[in-house]
Amino acid sequence: MNQVQIMKLNEFTVIETIGEGHLGKVFLIQQNTTNKFFAAKVLNIKKETKEEQDTFLTEISKYSKVINKFESILPIFGINNENFEGESYPTIFSEFMPKGSLNNIFKANPKLSFTKRYIILLGIAEGINYLHSIEIVHENLRPNNVLLDDNYYPHICHFEENGLISNSFNSFSAPDSSITY
């Protein structure tokens, strides 16, 4: 999935807050028609003008085309220029990772099997290798920024910590050149 879609917020129900950081809150949401769960990150950075919103959508789309190509990176598939209250705070949609963060897994189950640990380690290494191959440095890789799916496969997330989202992607350049922070 390479194309970011404009999501209709009224097609989702907010279930609960599942995370919070200095750039926004992450909600568990459910699609009304399919009952499928997703994650929605509502940013704390207001985008009020049409120009700000268009620029943000363009840059998120460019960024998602790069990161959505690799399984170990949490894909972005949708965006809306408003939060669920209709305010001008962008919302970014991604898959919901039911096992939560690597940090939570190790706290809840510190004795994961060798096989699961190896799968997690290999997935993270492959994801970081892919990012480095396209000249992206995560800069904040830690257990809280690695989410696990039902099969314990890792998905690296929270690239906005690098300044990508906080700077409205102003330093983002084409996929064949480097991203600076």
Side-chain angles (χ1 to χ4, degrees):
M1 179 182 325
N2 289 336
Q3 186 64 32
V4 173
Q5 300 175 11
I6 304 296
M7 307 304 290
K8 295 179 182 175
L9 298 177
N10 63 353
E11 294 179 358
F12 298 88
T13 301
V14 175
I15 306 298
E16 64 181 329
T17 302
I18 57 174
E20 189 168 355
H22 70 280
L23 290 178
K25 285 185 180 179
V26 180
F27 298 95
L28 173 63
I29 60 173
Q30 187 173 31
Q31 191 171 33
N32 298 331
T33 56
T34 66
N35 291 328
K36 187 174 178 184
F37 292 102
F38 297 95
K41 183 167 192 171
V42 176
L43 302 178
N44 291 336
I45 303 160
K46 215 167 198 178
K47 302 289 180 190
E48 295 184 277
T49 69
K50 175 89 168 109
E51 181 181 351
E52 287 176 321
Q53 292 173 354
D54 289 347
T55 299
F56 189 74
L57 177 60
T58 299
E59 298 302 331
I60 283 279
S61 294
K62 283 184 200 176
Y63 185 61
S64 70
K65 286 177 184 175
V66 173
I67 66 166
N68 288 2
K69 291 181 179 181
F70 202 79
E71 186 178 4
S72 294
I73 311 298
L74 185 68
I76 296 170
F77 70 84
I79 187 170
N80 191 293
N81 283 319
E82 296 181 346
N83 62 13
F84 291 97
E85 287 80 44
E87 301 167 315
S88 297
Y89 294 98
T91 301
I92 299 172
F93 291 77
S94 65
E95 292 178 37
F96 172 62
M97 295 292 132
K99 297 290 185 194
S101 74
L102 184 58
N103 187 53
N104 291 342
I105 289 294
F106 282 146
K107 284 181 180 176
N109 187 4
K111 295 185 180 187
L112 281 177
S113 72
F114 176 79
T115 302
K116 285 182 182 170
R117 287 176 184 258
Y118 183 77
I119 289 169
I120 292 167
L121 181 61
L122 184 61
I124 294 169
E126 287 176 341
I128 293 300
N129 186 53
Y130 171 72
L131 291 174
H132 290 179
S133 76
I134 57 173
E135 300 184 37
I136 295 176
V137 178
H138 189 286
E139 293 186 353
N140 194 24
L141 184 63
R142 57 193 176 107
N144 282 333
N145 292 339
V146 177
L147 303 177
L148 302 172
D149 64 22
D150 276 325
N151 297 314
Y152 289 88
Y153 194 80
H155 301 268
I156 301 168
C157 63
H158 296 303
F159 295 92
E160 62 273 16
E161 306 296 327
N162 303 357
L164 292 174
I165 288 177
S166 63
N167 293 331
S168 299
F169 292 89
N170 287 336
S171 61
F172 185 80
S173 51
D176 57 332
S177 58
S178 65
I179 295 177
T180 56
Y181 313 108

